[in-house]
Structure formats: structure tokens, C-alpha cells
């Protein structure tokens, strides 16, 4: 079975604070893909990052960084110096290697709502 | 360009109406998806089209009828909906439908559907 857990339902921070969104996943696939999406109030899901299971390098993109640790099955997302525009729901998602039935589909976590106050 | 467009943005329909949602992408993607998203929930997969053929129907009621006229367009025909079908309907596309390689899904802005 595949599962994504985002234990933090809501997080509220003040602008310029750093914030980390947690994501823990379960899968029996040896090859899999992890994703983060941002959903602002407008509704569109914005793709942020894809990480392959065989690439454990951490990634930084501007104020965003991702920490992928296979040993703990986690793929955490940190926003440095948060801004009001970062306010959104963030979804972590998992996709297995093989496509067929539900195994190849995106499995979403329940999402974390981030509110950044000025 | 990673744009997926959807029309209309908002739709209000009665339970006896027939309406259609439209989705378009020009990225050359060969997989297209319909998702339904209720408030404060993650998206739920409804249908997957792979090379213009329906490959997955996640036990969706027949009052929802998908159609893929060509590789760039995806429609969702709605008929005799129920109030509980009110939701945000998201379209997405990816380069290929399988789990290999670069295959993230790009989403459109969605259609907010209200069934009265």
C-alpha cells in the first residue's frame, strides 16, 4: 500500500520566519517519485518539485529547500524567510514506478495549510 | 510553457441540466486527468486518458462522462448531477501516463461547480 502523511494540518507563522512542512511516505516500490504542490486560494495546484527515489540530494530553489531522507521515508519542505504570498495549502504526493491501476497514480497527503501573517 | 487552461472558471447548474467542462493543453502531453476536490481535502482522481484513450475510471458515476477529442483537449460532460457533486474540478496533464522518467502533472486552475 502507498500512503502519504502530512501530520501538520495548519501552520501559522509571522512573515520572515522559517517554516518546515513535514511529509512522511510509505511505499513498497523500490523506484518512486515524490512531489510537492502549492495550492493558493485561487485553486490552481502549482507544481514545485519532483524527487526521484534514487536521488537523495537535497535541493534548494531560492527560499525553498527540500530534504529527502529515505532512511526515515521523509521529504520535508522548508520555506526560509516566509512571505505573505507563501500562504497556501501545500500537498506532498507520491507516485510509484509502475503505471497500472492505482499504483501509478498520484497519492496525495491531506495537505498543510500555511498562513503567513504580516 | 506549462499551462493548462480550463473553462468555465465557475459553473452553477441545476440537477436537470447538462453542461460540459473543458480543458486544454499545448505542451504535447499524452496523458490527461480529471480530479475532483472537495473543500479542505486533497484532489481525488476521477479519470485518466492515455494517448487519447480512457485508461482509468475510478468508479465514477455515469452522470460524469469524459471525452478526449484530440491530444490537446479533454472534456467532462455533466448530466443529472447531485448537490454533493459540488466541488472544484481540476484537469491535469503529464508528458506520458506511465511512471517512468520526467512525469510531473501540471494542473489547470479548475472549475468551481455548484449544483443546486
Amino acid at each position: 500500500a502507498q500512503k502519504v502523511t502530512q501530520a501538520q494540518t495548519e501552520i501559522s507563522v509571522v512573515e520572515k520566519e522559517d517554516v518546515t512542512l513535514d511529509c512522511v511516505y510509505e511505499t513498497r516500490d523500490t523506484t518512486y517519485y515524490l512531489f510537492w504542490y502549492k495550492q493558493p486560494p485561487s485553486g490552481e495546484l502549482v507544481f514545485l518539485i519532483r524527487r526521484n527515489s534514487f536521488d537523495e540530494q537535497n535541493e534548494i530553489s531560492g527560499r525553498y529547500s527540500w530534504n529527502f531522507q529515505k532512511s526515515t521515508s521523509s521529504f520535508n519542505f522548508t520555506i526560509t524567510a516566509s512571505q505573505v504570498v507563501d500562504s497556501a495549502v501545500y500537498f506532498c504526493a507520491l507516485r510509484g514506478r509502475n503505471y497500472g491501476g492505482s499504483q501509478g497514480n498520484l497519492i496525495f497527503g491531506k495537505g498543510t495549510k500555511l498562513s503567513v501573517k504580516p | 510553457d506549462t499551462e493548462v487552461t480550463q473553462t468555465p472558471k465557475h459553473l452553477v447548474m441545476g440537477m436537470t441540466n447538462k453542461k460540459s467542462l473543458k480543458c486544454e493543453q499545448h505542451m504535447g502531453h499524452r496523458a490527461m486527468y480529471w480530479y475532483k476536490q472537495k473543500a479542505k481535502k486533497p484532489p481525488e482522481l476521477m479519470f485518466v486518458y492515455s494517448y487519447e484513450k480512457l485508461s482509468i475510471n475510478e468508479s465514477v458515476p455515469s452522470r460524469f462522462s469524459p471525452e478526449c477529442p484530440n491530444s490537446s483537449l479533454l472534456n467532462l460532460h455533466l448530466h443529472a448531477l447531485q448537490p454533493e457533486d459540488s466541488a472544484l474540478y481540476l484537469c491535469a496533464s503529464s508528458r506520458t501516463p506511465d511512471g517512468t522518467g520526467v512525469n510531473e502533472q501540471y494542473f489547470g486552475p479548475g472549475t468551481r461547480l455548484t449544483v443546486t
Side-chain angles (χ1 to χ4, degrees), chain B residues 14-34:
Chain B
M15 289 190 284
T16 57
N17 291 159
K18 283 185 182 181
K19 296 285 184 184
S20 296
L21 309 185
K22 296 186 185 301
C23 173
E24 191 166 2
Q25 56 87 16
H26 294 288
M27 296 178 277
H29 289 176
R30 303 310 299 276
M32 296 187 76
Y33 311 77
W34 279 115

Side-chain angles (χ1 to χ4, degrees), chain A residues 10 33 35 37 39 41-45 47 50 52 91 95-102 104-106 108-110, chain B residues 33 35 37 41-43 45 48 55-56 58 88 90 94 97-109 112:
Chain A
E10 292 193 39
Y33 304 87
F35 306 83
Y37 284 89
Q39 189 173 37
S42 59
E44 180 175 355
L45 271 144
F47 165 71
R50 170 181 51 85
N52 307 332
F91 290 99
R95 185 170 189 168
R97 166 68 171 81
N98 295 314
Y99 188 79
S102 300
N105 298 337
L106 273 179
F108 285 93
K110 292 188 176 181
Chain B
Y33 311 77
Y35 287 85
Q37 187 179 25
K41 298 285 187 185
L45 184 66
V48 180
S55 61
I56 288 184
E58 292 283 0
L88 179 68
L90 292 160
S94 64
D98 62 36
T100 60
V102 177
N103 205 25
E104 52 270 16
Q105 293 181 24
Y106 293 93
F107 286 80
R112 289 197 184 274

Side-chain angles (χ1 to χ4, degrees), chain A residues 76-118:
Chain A
N76 296 338
F77 173 30
T78 297
I79 302 175
T80 303
S82 59
Q83 299 177 2
V84 173
V85 293
D86 296 326
S87 297
V89 178
Y90 291 86
F91 290 99
C92 180
L94 165 71
R95 185 170 189 168
R97 166 68 171 81
N98 295 314
Y99 188 79
S102 300
Q103 291 185 348
N105 298 337
L106 273 179
I107 308 297
F108 285 93
K110 292 188 176 181
T112 297
K113 182 178 180 181
L114 174 65
S115 298
V116 181
K117 302 189 186 315

Side-chain angles (χ1 to χ4, degrees), chain A:
Chain A
Q2 299 191 91
K3 187 179 176 183
V4 175
T5 301
Q6 293 180 257
Q8 304 147 308
T9 306
E10 292 193 39
I11 300 176
S12 182
V13 299
V14 176
E15 215 171 13
K16 296 185 184 173
E17 282 185 26
D18 298 348
V19 58
T20 296
L21 309 182
D22 297 333
C23 173
V24 174
Y25 62 92
E26 294 175 31
T27 180
R28 288 188 208 154
D29 285 345
T30 54
T31 301
Y32 52 89
Y33 304 87
L34 294 162
F35 306 83
W36 275 97
Y37 284 89
K38 173 183 180 179
Q39 189 173 37
S42 59
E44 180 175 355
L45 271 144
V46 178
F47 165 71
L48 296 178
I49 189 171
R50 170 181 51 85
R51 174 59 73 217
N52 307 332
S53 56
F54 45 85
D55 180 3
E56 283 195 74
Q57 275 197 333
N58 291 327
E59 183 153 341
I60 298 175
S61 175
R63 295 184 298 106
Y64 294 171
S65 63
W66 291 269
N67 183 359
F68 175 36
Q69 294 201 344
K70 285 179 81 168
S71 59
T72 55
S73 298
S74 65
F75 185 41
N76 296 338
F77 173 30
T78 297
I79 302 175
T80 303
S82 59
Q83 299 177 2
V84 173
V85 293
D86 296 326
S87 297
V89 178
Y90 291 86
F91 290 99
C92 180
L94 165 71
R95 185 170 189 168
R97 166 68 171 81
N98 295 314
Y99 188 79
S102 300
Q103 291 185 348
N105 298 337
L106 273 179
I107 308 297
F108 285 93
K110 292 188 176 181
T112 297
K113 182 178 180 181
L114 174 65
S115 298
V116 181
K117 302 189 186 315

Side-chain angles (χ1 to χ4, degrees), chain B residues 78-99:
Chain B
L78 314 172
H79 174 54
L81 294 193
Q82 305 295 312
E84 60 263 29
D85 296 321
S86 299
L88 179 68
Y89 288 84
L90 292 160
C91 173
S93 71
S94 64
R95 186 178 298 184
T96 60
D98 62 36

